[in-house]
Amino acid sequence: MEPAHTDPEIFSHIRVVMGMIVSLSLARLLSGIALFVQHPGKTRVYWIHLGWVMFMFVFLVHFWWWEFHLHSLAVIDVSVYLFVVLYCCVFFFLCVMLFPTTLDDYSDYEHYFMSRRAWFFGALAVAFDVDLVDTALKGKTYFASSGLEYPARNAVYILLCIAAAGTPNRRFHAVFVVAAVAYQLVWMYRAFDL
């Protein structure tokens, strides 16, 4: 018996749904940044918070690019569809965590970010964990093509996120965000251009 194959229109449909959620995530980041321009001086900017905004922007762009590899799945069923949509929802949650609807209960973004860090870094750890599953869905050959660096990278990110969720140490957070943004940019560049 011949294995079932996915109709190409199903993949297109999934990309549209993913695109909507990723677009909402990017819009949340860009709208949040625009607030600093629209209302300068209203809320003090916190550079570590902005570093995670940049990280999420790069992570989202990278995610959207690599989800193209879903087209190679022989069968895309409702479980794959639901998984990918929920994965996109984790990104949206992270972006909403970076730019809440209001800061009324907080003095500034530093106060907000540090008080909500367990939620943000917990969700970010989940995103890296789910990323491993997402890559495995695309097949053993695809997963292996990333080499050992990929699972090691995710494991280190998960451990650092757990540490970041638990510590208010500003120096740790500063080093983590600078290293995370730099590594993510290098990772994305190598993935796209090599």
Side-chain angles (χ1 to χ4, degrees), residues 69 72-73 132-145:
H69 292 285
S72 64
L73 291 181
L132 290 166
V133 177
D134 180 68
T135 303
L137 274 176
K138 295 168 187 149
K140 289 180 183 179
T141 304
Y142 179 77
F143 193 95
S145 71

Side-chain angles (χ1 to χ4, degrees), residues 111-175:
H111 179 216
Y112 168 75
F113 184 76
M114 294 310 290
S115 67
R116 301 289 96 202
R117 71 182 185 277
W119 279 98
F120 176 75
F121 289 110
L124 189 56
V126 167
F128 281 109
D129 195 36
V130 172
D131 187 60
L132 290 166
V133 177
D134 180 68
T135 303
L137 274 176
K138 295 168 187 149
K140 289 180 183 179
T141 304
Y142 179 77
F143 193 95
S145 71
S146 300
L148 292 177
E149 180 183 5
Y150 170 70
R153 161 197 173 261
N154 282 33
V156 169
Y157 269 130
I158 291 166
L159 291 174
L160 289 171
C161 284
I162 291 168
T167 183
N169 184 300
R170 295 333 193 241
R171 187 170 301 192
F172 174 85
H173 284 277
V175 171

Side-chain angles (χ1 to χ4, degrees), residues 23-34:
S23 295
L24 288 170
S25 302
L26 290 171
R28 188 71 177 218
L29 295 179
L30 296 173
S31 297
I33 293 294

Side-chain angles (χ1 to χ4, degrees), residues 2-192:
E2 209 173 293
H5 290 285
T6 298
D7 183 335
E9 288 185 31
I10 292 174
F11 175 68
S12 296
H13 178 71
I14 290 174
R15 284 194 49 100
V16 168
V17 174
M18 285 188 321
M20 290 186 316
I21 300 170
V22 169
S23 295
L24 288 170
S25 302
L26 290 171
R28 188 71 177 218
L29 295 179
L30 296 173
S31 297
I33 293 294
L35 287 175
F36 296 131
V37 176
Q38 294 167 345
H39 305 286
K42 182 178 179 183
T43 305
R44 196 169 48 125
V45 175
Y46 182 45
W47 76 270
I48 291 176
H49 168 261
L50 286 181
W52 287 110
V53 170
M54 182 178 181
F55 177 87
M56 285 307 303
F57 181 85
V58 173
F59 199 5
L60 278 163
V61 170
H62 191 194
F63 166 80
W64 182 240
W65 179 263
W66 284 107
E67 284 309 287
F68 175 74
H69 292 285
L70 281 174
H71 80 283
S72 64
L73 291 181
V75 176
I76 298 177
D77 59 15
V78 72
S79 62
V80 171
Y81 173 71
L82 184 60
F83 173 82
V84 172
V85 168
L86 290 174
Y87 186 17
C88 291
C89 290
V90 171
F91 282 115
F92 183 75
F93 180 78
L94 284 161
C95 293
V96 171
M97 287 302 301
L98 286 171
F99 286 109
T101 306
T102 178
L103 281 179
D104 290 347
D105 297 333
Y106 306 94
S107 57
D108 54 24
Y109 273 98
E110 179 177 6
H111 179 216
Y112 168 75
F113 184 76
M114 294 310 290
S115 67
R116 301 289 96 202
R117 71 182 185 277
W119 279 98
F120 176 75
F121 289 110
L124 189 56
V126 167
F128 281 109
D129 195 36
V130 172
D131 187 60
L132 290 166
V133 177
D134 180 68
T135 303
L137 274 176
K138 295 168 187 149
K140 289 180 183 179
T141 304
Y142 179 77
F143 193 95
S145 71
S146 300
L148 292 177
E149 180 183 5
Y150 170 70
R153 161 197 173 261
N154 282 33
V156 169
Y157 269 130
I158 291 166
L159 291 174
L160 289 171
C161 284
I162 291 168
T167 183
N169 184 300
R170 295 333 193 241
R171 187 170 301 192
F172 174 85
H173 284 277
V175 171
F176 184 22
V177 73
V178 169
V181 169
Y183 184 79
Q184 194 67 19
L185 286 168
V186 169
W187 176 263
M188 190 169 93
Y189 172 79
R190 286 173 31 219
F192 286 173

